[in-house]
Amino acid sequence: MITYGKLEEAIAIVNRSEKPLALYVFSENKHHIQQVVQQVASGGVCINDVLIHVSNPHLPFGGVNGSGQEVAMVFLASRHFHMNAL
């Protein structure tokens, strides 16, 4: 887990590395979610969820460019985000 002060800093950290196989964004702020999705390329994205990617066999799950060869997954979470019980 990497801590960050501003969302732009977190996006820059992710973009300096290889593209992740999966990107998981946890936030209640729709603008922040949209910003991450638009600025970070990854094999797949989940918003406020982690299981849907692997639990549904009908959804694609693959990499982009070299992602997936060395499985890298990125979790970004707003410190003000609270997961609600399902």
Side-chain angles (χ1 to χ4, degrees):
M1 181 173 284
I2 300 170
T3 60
Y4 60 92
K6 294 184 177 183
L7 182 58
E8 292 79 11
E9 182 183 343
I11 291 170
I13 290 168
V14 174
N15 285 334
R16 280 196 297 265
S17 302
E18 291 290 325
K19 293 176 181 164
L21 173 62
L23 176 66
Y24 300 93
V25 182
F26 293 89
S27 179
E28 293 174 340
N29 185 314
K30 290 181 182 183
H31 174 74
H32 288 171
I33 293 168
Q34 184 177 29
Q35 186 176 355
V36 171
V37 170
Q38 289 177 346
Q39 294 180 18
V40 176
S42 66
V45 179
C46 274
I47 308 299
N48 298 329
D49 194 301
V50 292
L51 293 179
I52 193 70
H53 248 170
V54 294
S55 65
N56 186 337
H58 303 291
L59 292 177
F61 190 81
V64 60
N65 294 346
S67 72
Q69 295 174 9
E70 296 176 15
V71 177
M73 298 184 193
V74 177
F75 293 83
L76 293 177
S78 165
R79 77 176 125 179
H80 299 292
F81 178 81
H82 302 283
M83 292 251 335
N84 295 323
L86 297 177

